[in-house]
Amino acid sequence: MASESVPDHQDHSPGTDHALALADTDLLRFATIGSVDDGKSTLIGRLLHDAKTLLQDQIEAVATTSARRGHEGLDLSLVTDGLRAEREQGITIDVAYRYFATPTRTFIVGDNPGHAQYTRNMATGASTAEVAVVLVDARHGLTTQTRRHVTVAALLGIRQFALCVNKMDLVDWSEERFDSVVADFLAVTDRLGVEAVIPIPMSALHGDNVVDRSTRTPWFSGPALLEYLETVSPAPVGDATGARIPVQLVLREPGDGRPTRLYAGMVHGGPLCPGDPVVVLPSGQTSTVERIVVGDDELVVALPGRSVAITLADDIDVARGDVVANSASAPAVAREIEATVCWFNEDPLGAGARLVVKQGTRVERTVVREVVSHLDIERLDHSEDLDELAFNDIGIVRFATAGPLVVDRYDDDRTLGAFVIIDEKSDRTIGAGMIRAWS
Amino acid sequence: MTLLDNDRIAAGRLAHLDALESHAMFVMREVAAERERPVILFSGGKDSVVLLHLAAKAFAPGRVPFTVMHVDTGHNFDEVIEFRDRRVAELGVDLVVASVQDSIDQGRVADPGPGGSRNRLQSVTLLDAIAEHRFDACFGGARRDEDKARAKERIYSVRDEFGQWEPRNQRPELWQLYNGRVRPGEHLRVFPISDWTELDVWEYIAREQLELPSIYFAHEREVVERDGMLLAVNQWVVPGPGETPLVEKVRYRTVGDASCTGAVRSHSTSVPEVIDEICASVLTERGATRADDKFSEAAMEDRKREGYF
């Protein structure tokens, strides 16, 4: 038994097995994606309802509204559509986050909008997800919007997909129809390099194969969605590169004499331990991790995702924006980067555009050197015949930055491989980038 | 405080309370690094107790670099004010009290009168205080599981000079790359514990041994049942015709304006008992305790558009 720190608070710990179990369960973040009206909100509502996570007052509120609108029974999409405009129009505009737990896992669900104009919100919901739950209407099959969402989710690094072929009740539970949708979907995911796809025939409206396996799909031997979510192993996070901490702040330990400097930030890329040799980038100075602290606790190992403060054995200059990285596998320093960009701005992006990027904990001015290529969502081909990215386009872009960035390839490390693009005139976030190469 | 077994280290994944804590600390550090004058809103309630504790952890061994502000409706539980002052003194942070009564006295808002809720009035007092102190980022302990409108809000919520939230035009918020820039007159509302549930908060309180105001635990109180809720009898809640005050064993699931925050019947006198009680409850926190969210389906969204948290 290795311990992160010494426990001394037993008296205060929760009193039941249930509560204790929950405190130590895994957290899984998943996102629902797909076209508008394919049933995403209804699915989340059904999942929460059948997993017995909705409470009495929430069910009563949904029942009241459903009755007022003349629906029979519960309109479960009302569980997540939380904005006035969403309920009025019956569509989802922005991500809603929902929370539920089973004895084995706690879940954070991002219920994403399906409309093309809200792709930026879908990317928001998918960027922190480990698993994508894709809904496809069995009658209509894959739409352009489904392809767009799956493409964005795959680019964002999601490798685990549950394909929910929904509204199977409206195609008489046809196994042929199911197989045909699955084949179309696999053709897309194969092109995107996604291997882990679990197809599930479903009726979110009636609850078939959502929490419990349905008797109406005797030909299907796979799991219900909740079984899948409880057992899926997300791709291991953080062992691709080795430990890095983008420094957020320098903290000073008060006291007599010379104050100790601590560098605060979140560990990612791999576990970090006291004694690990590190390099500080972009300066390139080297040292050794001395202590890793969280509040009053000293850690013997900090796992990826842990917010810590560290001290170094040597007195070197470290500031916000620097990266402390395990010297054995350090990231690169670059001023020219090539990235896959999702563009969310109404004005197109072209060569010469002057913008700001936030990457890690560093903010730098940037200029667009070239829009290299542009992704055709229907054909999933890169074409080089356009030199601009329009609203919601995805393409490969080369940037030069005013100061050096400390970078990883996005495929190796989501943190130092990602950046957002900010418009200095409006301060709005107008794009997202995933680094492919640099020089 | 967490035991980590070899399996978890091998899997490279944090337990969920550690993940939630780490994310909240990350957010608070980003705001501290990028904004000039952040403030933590502190009501003395359990969510803001957690928020203050997270701030202490995020900046340890240094001091919490933020001012703390209480938007005081004037309708308080004495136990909460006593607790607030003690906690702030322990942490050595500055406390600003923005008073709704002052706003009423200055004619900025109208007194809803005896029995009326001052909850909605807080928005004006809050915005006046933000302007007066030139705060450019306000941390709140709001959680997305509290309300459907809250479930839609980003971790960083950009508010205009009227404090308004524009839900149809929120900034994309990818990964953990938070855009903390605001235009003159705008400010940020920042919600570091957005992704926590009520149960997470209590389990964290248990783990970190955090002290809470005593009204969170079962005690005897004179209450009256009104609109399906148990309201404490006090100078703002006077039993009306047909209402019979009863002494009941109750506790509070949430601490708010004493005129409209309901108590729940309970025998839970310790944190573990409260956790058991929440696990068994068939009502959400808000459903059980907040009168002002029952006005309409969009009560929270409408108030947030007015500048409310």
Side-chain angles (χ1 to χ4, degrees):
Chain A
M1 172 77 65
S3 78
E4 227 189 359
S5 50
V6 183
D8 58 5
H9 296 329
Q10 272 107 354
D11 323 340
H12 214 62
S13 49
T16 66
D17 291 344
H18 172 87
L20 269 177
L22 197 55
D24 198 39
T25 51
D26 259 348
L27 175 64
L28 185 82
R29 290 173 172 267
F30 69 94
T32 58
I33 61 177
S35 284
V36 65
D37 286 336
D38 282 0
K40 294 184 295 300
S41 298
T42 302
L43 173 63
I44 299 297
R46 172 58 68 188
L47 193 57
L48 297 178
H49 181 268
D50 289 6
K52 308 214 169 20
T53 299
L54 287 186
L55 298 184
Q56 193 181 314
D57 53 309
Q58 292 171 309
I59 293 172
E60 281 167 11
V62 168
T64 305
T65 311
S66 301
R68 200 166 64 225
R69 303 199 172 179
H71 298 299
E72 274 182 46
L74 294 176
D75 176 357
L76 289 169
S77 73
L78 295 168
V79 172
T80 54
D81 284 343
L83 300 176
R84 199 179 270 282
E86 292 178 324
R87 286 189 296 270
E88 283 163 1
Q89 299 174 49
I91 61 165
T92 304
I93 291 171
D94 211 335
V95 197
Y97 294 94
R98 292 284 147 181
Y99 308 85
F100 70 102
T102 66
T104 52
R105 269 199 174 145
T106 57
F107 298 94
I108 298 180
V109 191
D111 178 28
N112 284 290
H115 276 273
Q117 73 185 106
Y118 299 119
T119 300
R120 62 177 188 274
N121 295 341
M122 175 265 158
T124 290
S127 70
T128 52
E130 298 160 301
V131 170
V133 173
V134 188
L135 266 87
V136 175
D137 186 324
R139 295 168 303 171
H140 306 137
L142 266 62
T143 63
T144 304
Q145 192 57 4
T146 310
R147 288 175 213 275
R148 182 189 302 278
H149 277 189
V150 173
T151 305
V152 171
L155 287 172
L156 285 168
I158 297 178
R159 290 288 169 269
Q160 309 278 344
F161 286 77
L163 167 64
C164 301
V165 182
N166 194 25
K167 309 197 188 186
M168 285 297 294
D169 50 319
L170 302 181
V171 295
D172 296 328
W173 301 97
S174 159
E175 186 178 3
E176 290 75 27
R177 184 63 199 146
F178 175 73
D179 289 343
S180 146
V181 173
V182 171
D184 286 351
F185 188 84
L186 293 178
V188 172
T189 47
D190 283 351
R191 303 274 321 250
L192 295 168
V194 173
E195 285 163 11
V197 176
I198 299 290
I200 304 172
M202 177 177 288
S203 165
L205 188 64
H206 301 295
D208 294 274
N209 290 329
V210 176
V211 167
D212 300 309
R213 293 193 193 195
S214 173
T215 54
R216 285 184 277 204
T217 50
W219 42 267
F220 174 66
S221 58
L225 179 62
L226 185 61
E227 289 177 74
Y228 166 78
L229 292 171
E230 282 187 309
T231 53
V232 62
S233 308
V237 177
D239 57 0
T241 55
R244 295 105 170 68
I245 301 178
V247 175
Q248 295 184 274
L249 285 171
V250 180
L251 306 173
R252 280 179 186 76
E253 193 159 35
D256 302 332
R258 210 161 56 89
T260 305
R261 289 200 305 272
L262 295 97
Y263 308 109
M266 188 182 275
V267 178
H268 62 94
L272 186 74
C273 301
D276 284 354
V278 288
V279 57
V280 179
L281 295 169
S283 71
Q285 297 174 89
T286 56
S287 187
T288 306
V289 176
E290 199 175 52
R291 293 161 57 211
I292 304 176
V293 301
V294 178
D296 297 330
D297 299 331
E298 298 247 350
L299 305 189
V300 295
V301 54
L303 291 181
R306 197 75 140 111
S307 280
V308 299
I310 62 168
T311 60
L312 298 180
D314 302 283
D315 186 16
I316 55 180
D317 178 27
V318 183
R320 174 173 171 84
D322 291 344
V323 176
V324 178
N326 201 311
S327 351
S329 55
V333 176
R335 291 176 81 139
E336 297 262 349
I337 55 172
E338 185 175 286
T340 304
V341 168
C342 300
W343 188 242
F344 307 130
N345 202 26
E346 282 77 8
D347 296 333
L349 179 73
R354 289 183 177 274
L355 301 155
V356 168
V357 293
K358 184 172 185 187
Q359 181 261 355
T361 53
R362 192 168 269 264
V363 175
E364 289 289 348
R365 285 164 198 279
T366 186
V367 61
V368 175
R369 289 275 193 244
E370 186 192 359
V371 174
V372 178
S373 66
H374 170 274
L375 184 66
D376 182 315
I377 298 286
E378 278 295 335
R379 295 184 298 129
L380 294 174
D381 275 340
H382 279 277
S383 70
E384 295 178 10
D385 50 357
L386 292 170
D387 52 10
E388 285 190 335
L389 292 188
F391 180 57
N392 278 339
D393 274 357
I394 296 166
I396 296 173
V397 180
R398 285 200 301 112
F399 299 86
T401 54
L405 299 178
V406 182
V407 298
D408 280 308
R409 272 166 45 84
Y410 184 81
D411 286 349
D412 298 332
D413 181 288
R414 276 198 193 190
T415 303
L416 289 181
F419 58 91
V420 292
I421 303 170
I422 297 167
D423 176 17
E424 220 169 6
K425 294 188 290 294
S426 67
D427 285 340
R428 296 179 58 84
T429 305
I430 54 177
M434 289 152 278
I435 296 171
R436 300 158 45 91
W438 54 81
S439 56
Chain B
M1 193 60 51
T2 325
L3 271 180
L4 265 186
D5 60 24
N6 289 320
D7 288 346
R8 196 170 286 291
I9 290 175
R13 293 173 65 81
L14 291 179
H16 97 278
L17 279 186
D18 285 334
L20 292 172
E21 176 193 71
S22 288
H23 178 254
M25 289 168 63
F26 177 87
V27 167
M28 297 183 110
R29 287 167 168 179
E30 280 301 283
V31 173
E34 296 197 328
R35 299 305 330 159
E36 295 287 320
R37 296 176 66 82
V39 63
I40 299 180
L41 295 199
F42 183 65
S43 63
K46 65 184 186 309
D47 302 312
S48 54
V49 165
V50 165
L51 210 54
L52 262 191
H53 178 73
L54 289 164
K57 259 196 168 178
F59 301 100
R63 277 180 38 172
V64 175
F66 309 126
T67 303
V68 170
M69 178 159 72
H70 180 210
V71 179
D72 179 357
T73 64
H75 296 166
N76 295 304
F77 295 98
D78 295 340
E79 299 91 331
V80 176
I81 296 298
E82 179 273 327
F83 173 83
R84 174 197 78 186
D85 292 342
R86 190 154 42 83
R87 190 74 192 102
V88 161
E90 282 164 9
L91 282 173
V93 288
D94 293 331
L95 175 71
V96 170
V97 178
S99 155
V100 172
Q101 186 62 50
D102 287 351
S103 301
I104 293 170
D105 295 345
Q106 291 158 13
R108 299 278 294 140
V109 291
D111 191 341
S117 164
R118 288 182 167 185
N119 211 6
R120 292 181 80 105
L121 307 185
Q122 290 180 69
S123 301
V124 172
T125 308
L126 170 63
L127 288 171
D128 286 351
I130 287 170
E132 181 191 339
H133 297 277
R134 293 180 292 113
F135 293 131
D136 56 6
C138 305
F139 291 105
R143 308 189 322 265
R144 286 170 173 155
D145 77 329
E146 290 177 88
D147 179 274
K148 287 200 288 193
R150 289 238 198 266
K152 292 278 174 178
E153 197 163 10
R154 301 274 193 259
I155 308 284
Y156 277 36
S157 177
V158 180
R159 301 295 183 100
D160 66 14
E161 63 177 310
F162 305 101
Q164 297 183 103
W165 179 52
E166 183 37 81
R168 299 185 72 165
N169 200 18
Q170 302 194 80
R171 281 181 186 165
E173 196 165 83
L174 290 99
W175 304 289
Q176 291 192 40
L177 290 167
Y178 298 103
N179 175 357
R181 294 179 164 223
V182 289
R183 317 298 301 169
E186 295 176 340
H187 65 274
L188 291 178
R189 303 282 173 92
V190 183
F191 306 106
I193 61 166
S194 284
D195 283 334
W196 299 42
T197 63
E198 182 187 18
L199 192 55
D200 294 330
V201 166
W202 277 102
E203 292 194 330
Y204 191 70
I205 286 165
R207 190 181 91 168
E208 303 288 307
Q209 293 190 291
L210 303 182
E211 194 193 342
L212 291 178
S214 57
I215 66 171
Y216 276 110
F217 302 98
H219 55 286
E220 291 204 329
R221 191 177 280 269
E222 192 180 21
V223 293
V224 60
E225 191 153 358
R226 188 178 290 172
D227 302 330
M229 289 196 320
L230 297 177
L231 294 179
V233 173
N234 52 37
Q235 61 194 107
W236 310 289
V237 178
V238 178
E243 290 180 335
T244 315
L246 297 165
V247 173
E248 295 261 12
K249 195 145 196 194
V250 297
R251 69 172 202 91
Y252 285 85
R253 275 175 83 170
T254 176
V255 161
D257 188 299
S259 71
C260 66
T261 303
V264 293
R265 289 187 181 88
S266 171
H267 292 281
S268 304
T269 55
S270 68
V271 173
E273 285 171 6
V274 168
I275 289 174
D276 286 347
E277 182 189 307
I278 292 168
C279 289
S281 174
V282 297
L283 291 178
T284 65
E285 180 180 335
R286 294 226 151 222
T289 61
R290 286 296 173 98
D292 48 342
D293 289 338
K294 297 194 171 174
F295 289 141
S296 84
E297 204 179 359
M300 176 67 83
E301 180 181 350
D302 292 346
R303 270 184 290 147
K304 289 168 86 70
R305 283 177 181 272
E306 292 167 10
Y308 191 77
F309 253 91

